[in-house]
Amino acid sequence: MTVFKKGELFSGPGGLSLGAKISKIVDGNGIEHSVEHTWANDFNEEACKTFINNISPNKPASVIYKPVQKVDISKLEGIDAFAFGFPCNDFSIVGKSLGIDGEYGHLFTYGIEVLRTHQPRWFIAENVGGLKSVNEGKTFRLIMRELINSGYDIFPHLYKFEEYGVPQARHRIIIVGIKKDENLKFKIPAPTYIDKFKTAREALLNPPILENAPNHQFTRHKQRVIDMLNHIPPGENAWSEKIPEKMRLRVKGARMSQIYRRLHPEKPSYTITGSGGGGTHIYHWEQPRALTNRERARLQSFPDNFVFSGNKEQVRQQIGMAVPPQAAKVIIEAILKTFAGIPYREDSRGPRWSQIQIQKQLNSL
């Protein structure tokens, strides 16, 4: 048996770790390859409780609740694998896109410190698609340079998670890194859903969610919101022409497409977020209401027995910021197959970043 001991920074509630936990492959010699949680860190107390309860109930001390700046990385247990979904606030296309100069932009350097201190055999770094373009791409190139200079070949790719069985149009940059001395090339796994995606209807109704399921509290809406939702067709939002004039929102300037946007039952959900005011909670295609946290969790591919800690808004934040476990599983199993020497289908569509192309990008810094 080959077991990769994994550490994680910015672990959130454990979406990526759940994907790692359920990732197992067996090679031609009957040897199992898997990933084992070793330690994790996050500054959100409720997210740490969620992680402990679902990922490491027998090792609560392995989850470190404190700001990453206060973690003594040199004293963490040695690891073979590492994951860090460093905060995306300053890289998102929604907002000012401050990049490295923002409040959160520098936090990726703590992941670099882990790589240089513990030299795991492979890592996964996750962030929003906007990372690629912020500051005209300079931030992304800087991050890639630091990862390469830490001793790794890197394999970045913009994954569309709906193409891998997640019932949600969620697009994220995932950088897989493998230590240079392993002499291994990671291949982007081929999508498993191309012509027919998993839909919102399938995710929420197959099977139906039990009434007493955890994190399944319904929102009490004002009557005017219910009346407006009743006039919005599936897939449309608060700016729908079907809404009577007297019920329409009086908003000047930009009109965000996700305000009171209802799901389309025959399509994947739009991107789930962890915060936002009225009208941003994702709305059922048929019933005039916001989704429950349990429903949002399903759209993120969490199983119903994964219980989130905290109040309603704290749970919403955890779900919206998490890596979908199903997406993590696909990528991590491809990594395990790479190390085990097991062939798998590669995504052959469009150009890919070769190591030479990446180096050319870095030379422009």
Side-chain angles (χ1 to χ4, degrees):
M1 178 180 292
T2 300
V3 179
F4 292 91
K5 296 171 59 179
K6 180 184 67 64
E8 185 170 358
L9 294 183
F10 319 110
S11 53
L16 196 152
S17 281
L18 177 59
K21 189 175 182 178
I22 60 179
S23 296
K24 291 180 174 60
I25 60 104
V26 178
D27 65 24
N29 297 317
I31 298 174
E32 182 179 277
H33 301 254
S34 62
V35 181
E36 178 181 270
H37 162 74
T38 303
W39 51 259
N41 163 251
D42 200 276
F43 79 112
N44 184 300
E45 184 176 14
E46 295 302 331
C48 286
K49 290 178 182 178
T50 299
F51 191 107
I52 291 169
N53 293 337
N54 294 276
I55 304 298
S56 60
N58 298 324
K59 294 174 59 179
S62 68
V63 180
I64 306 161
Y65 162 52
K66 63 173 62 174
V68 68
Q69 298 93 326
K70 296 184 178 181
V71 176
D72 188 341
I73 289 173
S74 66
K75 293 183 179 179
L76 294 172
E77 185 176 343
I79 51 176
D80 310 299
F82 176 55
F84 63 122
F86 51 102
C88 61
N89 309 56
D90 293 324
F91 305 120
S92 175
I93 59 174
V94 178
K96 297 182 180 179
S97 295
L98 297 172
I100 293 299
D101 298 326
E103 180 181 357
Y104 303 98
H106 70 287
L107 294 180
F108 87 94
T109 60
Y110 292 93
I112 299 297
E113 185 178 348
V114 170
L115 294 176
R116 294 181 177 177
T117 301
H118 295 284
Q119 289 286 290
R121 298 176 69 185
W122 58 266
F123 72 80
I124 291 181
E126 180 263 355
N127 210 279
V128 293
L131 172 63
K132 187 179 172 184
S133 57
V134 70
N135 294 344
E136 299 180 338
K138 183 177 179 180
T139 295
F140 185 45
R141 294 196 299 274
L142 188 153
I143 290 172
M144 289 197 297
R145 183 184 68 185
E146 292 302 307
L147 293 170
I148 290 172
N149 289 344
S150 298
Y152 292 84
D153 288 325
I154 61 172
F155 306 88
H157 182 63
L158 178 63
Y159 289 82
K160 298 180 179 180
F161 288 161
E162 67 269 31
E163 296 182 344
Y164 295 90
V166 178
Q168 178 192 170
R170 190 179 188 91
H171 303 166
R172 292 292 185 267
I173 284 181
I174 303 287
I175 303 174
V176 170
I178 298 179
K179 279 194 71 177
K180 290 180 182 294
D181 58 14
E182 298 283 353
N183 293 315
L184 294 172
K185 179 184 177 183
F186 175 78
K187 298 184 298 184
I188 308 304
T192 50
Y193 289 72
I194 290 290
D195 300 323
K196 185 173 175 57
F197 300 130
K198 190 169 183 180
T199 67
R201 184 196 300 276
E202 183 181 355
L204 300 188
L205 299 183
N206 186 21
I209 298 175
L210 299 177
E211 288 186 10
N212 62 347
N215 309 122
H216 195 43
Q217 297 83 14
F218 288 79
T219 299
R220 292 183 178 180
H221 296 294
K222 294 180 179 179
Q223 189 60 45
R224 63 178 180 81
V225 172
I226 294 173
D227 292 342
M228 182 179 64
L229 286 170
N230 275 324
H231 285 89
I232 300 176
E236 295 190 28
N237 58 24
W239 323 120
S240 172
E241 294 297 325
K242 299 294 178 66
I243 303 173
E245 185 69 31
K246 64 180 181 180
M247 293 185 184
R248 295 183 186 180
L249 300 180
R250 306 301 176 191
V251 177
K252 294 182 180 180
R255 294 182 171 185
M256 292 181 63
S257 65
Q258 294 196 18
I259 299 297
Y260 291 109
R261 184 176 173 187
R262 304 187 81 172
L263 295 173
H264 193 296
E266 307 309 327
K267 296 180 180 180
S269 166
Y270 53 94
T271 304
I272 294 171
T273 58
S275 60
T280 63
H281 291 68
I282 303 188
Y283 297 83
H284 199 278
W285 63 86
E286 185 176 45
Q287 300 171 27
R289 63 172 179 84
L291 298 190
T292 68
N293 279 324
R294 187 78 269 152
E295 289 170 322
R296 293 188 192 97
R298 277 205 177 183
L299 295 176
Q300 279 276 61
S301 74
F302 282 96
D304 288 354
N305 62 359
F306 193 101
V307 181
F308 295 85
S309 298
N311 63 37
K312 194 174 177 182
E313 281 305 307
Q314 290 169 329
V315 170
R316 180 197 174 194
Q317 181 185 38
Q318 292 173 53
I319 293 170
M321 299 297 285
V323 177
Q326 170 61 24
K329 178 178 184 290
V330 170
I331 297 167
I332 291 171
E333 285 189 343
I335 295 173
L336 294 178
K337 289 176 181 177
T338 300
F339 275 85
I342 299 174
Y344 60 91
R345 285 200 312 123
E346 180 180 10
D347 185 356
S348 58
R349 303 168 302 168
R352 290 291 170 267
W353 284 308
S354 69
Q355 300 304 304
I356 294 176
Q357 290 170 326
I358 291 171
Q359 195 57 54
K360 287 182 178 178
Q361 288 270 321
L362 301 186
N363 291 339
S364 66
L365 277 173

